[in-house]
Structures are given as structure tokens and as C-alpha cells.
């Protein structure tokens, strides 16, 4: 079995490719779910400029008033496209 060694991100990417999350307008696909909700809270804590959630239910977790919720189905092209307006980073 071949083993893989984790490498620091700086070894993998050039420093110009890594951008601070504080400069980003973020969208979390599935942000109302368990994992997505944790990611939304983490992005808020790390100081993202804005955080939005796209899910079949609106985001109702901690600091919900700071999160823009887009509701829709991921298979609905127009709904997904509408949620991507002014977004830099998608999770």
C-alpha cells in the first residue's frame, strides 16, 4: 500500500494563488445542512466579507441574520446562477 505524506499548502500552491478569506464573498452550497452550516459559521468567524447559503431550506443557524439565504434545488440551473452573483468563492 502506498502512503501519502501531507504537504503544507504553501508547498503546493504559489503564494500568489492563495487569497485571504477575509477578501472573499463566499457561497456555501448546502449551507443549511450539518457540514455546510459548520462551514458557514467558520467563514463568518474568519471574517469573510459576505457569506451566502444555497440549499433547499434557508440557513437558520447561528448568526442567520448575517447570511444571505438562497433557496432552490441544485439541479435548477437558473436558481444556482442567480446565487452566484457577486460571489468570489464557492464551497
Amino acid at each position: 500500500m502506498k502512503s501519502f505524506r501531507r504537504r503544507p499548502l504553501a508547498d503546493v500552491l504559489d503564494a500568489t494563488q492563495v487569497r485571504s478569506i477575509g477578501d472573499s464573498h463566499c457561497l456555501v452550497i448546502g449551507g443549511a445542512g450539518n457540514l455546510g452550516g459548520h462551514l458557514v459559521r467558520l467563514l463568518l468567524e474568519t471574517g469573510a466579507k459576505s457569506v451566502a447559503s444555497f440549499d433547499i431550506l434557508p440557513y437558520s443557524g447561528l448568526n442567520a441574520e448575517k447570511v444571505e439565504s438562497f433557496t432552490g434545488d441544485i439541479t435548477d440551473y437558473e436558481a444556482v446562477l442567480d446565487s452566484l452573483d457577486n460571489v468570489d468563492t464557492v464551497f
Side-chain angles (χ1 to χ4, degrees):
M1 176 186 260
K2 188 174 184 177
S3 66
F4 293 94
R5 181 179 63 87
R6 286 190 171 183
R7 299 184 310 173
L9 188 59
D11 291 351
V12 179
L13 298 174
D14 183 290
T16 59
Q17 294 175 293
V18 180
R19 191 175 65 194
S20 168
I21 204 69
D23 296 337
S24 295
H25 298 277
C26 303
L27 173 68
V28 179
I29 304 293
N34 187 29
L35 294 175
H38 286 291
L39 183 53
V40 166
R41 286 189 294 280
L42 181 64
L43 290 168
L44 289 170
E45 289 172 9
T46 56
K49 277 189 180 177
S50 68
V51 180
S53 167
F54 182 91
D55 210 325
I56 56 173
L57 299 171
Y59 176 78
S60 61
L62 228 49
N63 296 318
E65 69 280 355
K66 296 180 181 178
V67 178
E68 185 175 4
S69 286
F70 293 94
T71 54
D73 191 299
I74 193 69
T75 62
D76 182 351
Y77 177 79
E78 291 298 322
V80 174
L81 194 61
D82 289 342
S83 70
L84 294 173
D85 195 31
N86 296 320
V87 170
D88 301 317
T89 308
V90 177
F91 294 93

